[in-house]
Amino acid sequence: QVQLVESGGGLVQAGGSLRLSCIASGRTFSSYHMGWFRQAPGKEREFVAAIRRSSSNTYYSDSVKGRFTISRDNAKNTVYLEMNSLKPEDTAVYYCAADMDMSRIPARVPSLYDYWGQGTQVTVSS
């Protein structure tokens, strides 16, 4: 089964940047849509961004459009989330996830993803 491991989180001041990475195990990484979600203390897990298996299309929540960029390198079995102009409200645990349903665009609902990483903490100070 697929295993996902996130890294790159940390503490950053408002306006700064971070790049998160998620490395996937297995030999079929290119067959999955990939997504990033986040969960802040006391809140539900929310959709952040997703990318098709072909890398030709990306999707973002309204709260991060223009600031975050999702990308993937299938040769390295890795998906990235470049986060710029960070705000305190971006503080959360960030998770990467794999969506194996190729009949549709990447899902925005957590329950539709098949594999999840352990998460990496992002803290943005004001």
Side-chain angles (χ1 to χ4, degrees), residues 46-64:
E46 66 173 342
F47 172 79
V48 175
I51 186 168
R52 285 184 177 179
R53 60 178 178 177
S54 66
S55 301
S56 61
N57 293 88
T58 56
Y59 308 86
Y60 300 92
S61 68
D62 290 339
S63 63
V64 306

Side-chain angles (χ1 to χ4, degrees), residues 10-113:
L11 175 63
V12 64
Q13 293 185 0
S17 300
L18 285 173
R19 187 189 70 174
L20 306 183
S21 300
C22 175
I23 301 175
S25 67
R27 303 176 182 177
T28 58
F29 175 77
S30 62
S31 297
Y32 308 144
H33 298 320
M34 297 296 296
W36 285 96
F37 292 78
R38 66 187 182 186
Q39 188 167 17
K43 296 185 178 181
E44 298 294 322
R45 189 167 300 187
E46 66 173 342
F47 172 79
V48 175
I51 186 168
R52 285 184 177 179
R53 60 178 178 177
S54 66
S55 301
S56 61
N57 293 88
T58 56
Y59 308 86
Y60 300 92
S61 68
D62 290 339
S63 63
V64 306
K65 284 182 179 178
R67 299 189 298 120
F68 291 11
T69 301
I70 187 171
S71 62
R72 67 192 298 164
D73 186 340
N74 289 340
K76 297 181 179 179
N77 289 344
T78 303
V79 62
Y80 304 94
L81 184 68
E82 182 71 32
M83 305 185 296
N84 300 308
S85 301
L86 283 162
K87 305 174 181 179
E89 50 264 45
D90 294 319
T91 295
V93 177
Y94 284 71
Y95 301 88
C96 69
D99 176 8
M100 298 180 67
D101 190 344
M102 299 295 101
S103 67
R104 50 167 169 77
I105 63 172
R108 293 172 177 255
V109 180
S111 63
L112 294 180
Y113 280 76

Side-chain angles (χ1 to χ4, degrees), residues 1-5 23-29 32 98 100 114-116:
Q1 295 182 315
V2 175
Q3 292 183 333
L4 305 174
V5 180
I23 301 175
S25 67
R27 303 176 182 177
T28 58
F29 175 77
Y32 308 144
M100 298 180 67
D114 302 284
Y115 303 100
W116 290 86

